[in-house]
DNA sequence: GTTGAGCGTT
């Protein structure tokens, strides 16, 4: 009978597309018209911000995988919409797993990685805690997929890098161009084996006041300590969440994490060959470097010779300015200043 | 070449 003929529709993930690089003014109807020729459209949604403005992307769901694939084949990269910065993107939408990863990425950026334990559960305690527990569950689920063994090993190697050394300073390549999800700078870098600091190219990298302190003291941090110092015990969801964050942060040492006001430095006149790793090394002696980013020309992949370093406290930032501003490298002198606040000189 | 890009996943 007919009731037995009911066929379950194909899983949504197999026929749902993410469409990127739309014009900001394109409507749902515009998108429908574009995608109609390839099949029956079941759903078409433009992603919009809170103000209703298009984010320039959309989801389009077809009745079948084949239709979706056909749309990808014909439309992806086929044209550049007015106002879009590059050609149309048509691909299968993220799976749940991929979305979880994306969220971790966002969350890491928002929370930063300063002393997770200091997160206040005060006024918003219940709410915050609920969120954290929810995230903890997500992260616990994602742990296996987030860090492959190689990434974990690379992160460990990173932590063992001793302060300044030749291979770390001049031989390490700049962050490879994008296209993989490999954390920048740590995937292929060998563990530097030369421990003696040697001036290169007129650069005498002897950081002020490392006196006697084992380098590992500075290295380990990034605000991260491998273990909470005491109870190796248990998996309460919160601890799991923290663990997740720590693993994540260790795997993405140069991800953009701005520190509090007064903790972020702008550095100019960097040597051309300096990448994120070298910048990090250079400023590690002054405190916990929570991020270090050299700006790279997208087209040429060349350093633009400026970058940013963020500490977790203003004192470290000031110490770094004191010691490194005007520091001579080759024919140039470093400029090291506090970064301009993003909303500077906004008239009000 | 002078201050945190881009690509945006309900």
């Amino acid at each position: 009978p007919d009731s037995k003929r009911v066929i379950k529709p194909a899983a949504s993930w197999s026929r749902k597309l993410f469409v990127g690089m739309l014009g900001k003014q394109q409507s749902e109807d515009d998108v429908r018209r574009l995608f109609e020729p390839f099949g029956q459209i079941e759903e078409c949604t433009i992603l919009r911000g809170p103000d209703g403005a298009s984010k320039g992307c959309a989801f389009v769901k077809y009745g079948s995988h084949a239709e979706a694939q056909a749309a990808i084949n014909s439309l992806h990269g086929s044209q550049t919409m007015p106002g879009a910065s590059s050609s149309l993107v048509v691909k299968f939408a993220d799976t749940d797993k991929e979305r979880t990863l994306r969220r971790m990425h966002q969350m890491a950026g928002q929370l930063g990685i300063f002393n997770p334990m200091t997160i206040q559960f005060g006024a918003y305690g219940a709410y915050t805690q609920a969120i954290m527990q929810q995230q903890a569950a997500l992260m616990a689920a994602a742990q296996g997929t987030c860090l492959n063994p190689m990434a974990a090993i690379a992160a460990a190697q990173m932590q063992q890098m001793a302060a300044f050394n030749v291979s770390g300073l001049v031989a390490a390549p700049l962050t490879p161009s994008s296209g993989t999800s490999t954390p920048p700078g740590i995937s292929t870098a060998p563990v530097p084996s030369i421990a003696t600091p040697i001036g290169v190219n007129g650069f005498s990298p002897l950081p002020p006041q490392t006196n006697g302190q084992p380098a590992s003291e500075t290295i380990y941090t990034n605000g991260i300590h491998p273990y909470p110092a005491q109870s190796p015990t248990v998996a309460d969801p919160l601890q799991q969440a923290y663990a997740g964050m720590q693993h994540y942060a260790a795997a993405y040492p140069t991800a953009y994490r701005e520190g509090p006001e007064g903790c972020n430095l702008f550095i100019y006149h960097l040597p051309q060959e300096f990448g994120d790793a070298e910048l990090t090394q250079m400023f590690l002696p002054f405190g916990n470097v929570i991020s270090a980013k050299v700006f790279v020309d997208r087209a040429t992949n060349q350093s633009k010779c400026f970058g940013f370093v963020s500490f977790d406290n203003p004192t470290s930032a000031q110490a770094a300015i004191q010691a490194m501003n005007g520091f001579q490298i080759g024919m140039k002198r470093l400029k090291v200043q506090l970064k301009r606040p993003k909303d500077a000189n906004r008239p009000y």
Side-chain angles (χ1 to χ4, degrees), chain A residues 19 40 71 213 247 253 260 318 329:
Chain A
V19 183
Q40 187 70 41
Q213 278 229 323
H247 281 272
Q318 287 301 328
I329 302 181

Side-chain angles (χ1 to χ4, degrees), chain A residues 2 28 104 134 184:
Chain A
D2 280 0
E28 177 177 311
M104 286 182 68
Q134 192 181 345

Side-chain angles (χ1 to χ4, degrees), chain A residues 48 59 85 92 150 153 242 267 280 313 325:
Chain A
R48 299 180 185 282
F59 290 109
S85 57
F92 287 108
M150 288 314 292
I153 290 168
Y242 292 141
I267 295 104
T280 306
N313 73 84
N325 188 38

Side-chain angles (χ1 to χ4, degrees), chain A residues 263-316:
Chain A
C263 299
N264 307 297
L265 303 181
F266 169 68
I267 295 104
Y268 195 61
H269 292 319
L270 288 171
Q272 178 72 44
E273 62 272 20
F274 258 44
D276 295 347
E278 290 75 27
L279 191 58
T280 306
Q281 295 295 313
M282 177 174 248
F283 284 89
L284 266 177
F286 308 103
N288 295 336
V289 174
I290 62 172
S291 77
K293 187 93 214 141
V294 172
F295 257 62
V296 167
D297 186 293
R298 278 244 279 168
T300 67
N301 217 25
Q302 294 278 300
S303 163
K304 290 183 153 177
C305 297
F306 72 91
F308 301 88
V309 170
S310 295
F311 289 99
D312 62 358
N313 73 84
T315 306
S316 296

Side-chain angles (χ1 to χ4, degrees), chain A residues 183-259:
Chain A
I186 71 172
S187 59
T188 57
V191 179
S193 53
I194 306 174
T196 315
I198 301 175
V200 175
N201 296 337
F203 176 51
S204 298
L206 273 219
Q209 60 273 126
T210 28
N211 41 2
Q213 278 229 323
S216 56
E217 188 59 33
T218 19
I219 300 263
Y220 241 129
T221 47
N222 276 353
I224 309 166
H225 289 278
Y227 300 102
Q230 296 161 339
S231 70
T233 33
V234 250
D236 96 73
L238 271 181
Q239 278 197 353
Q240 280 187 17
Y242 292 141
M245 290 296 299
Q246 287 169 353
H247 281 272
Y248 182 90
Y252 291 83
T254 62
Y256 170 30
R257 299 177 209 111
E258 186 157 341

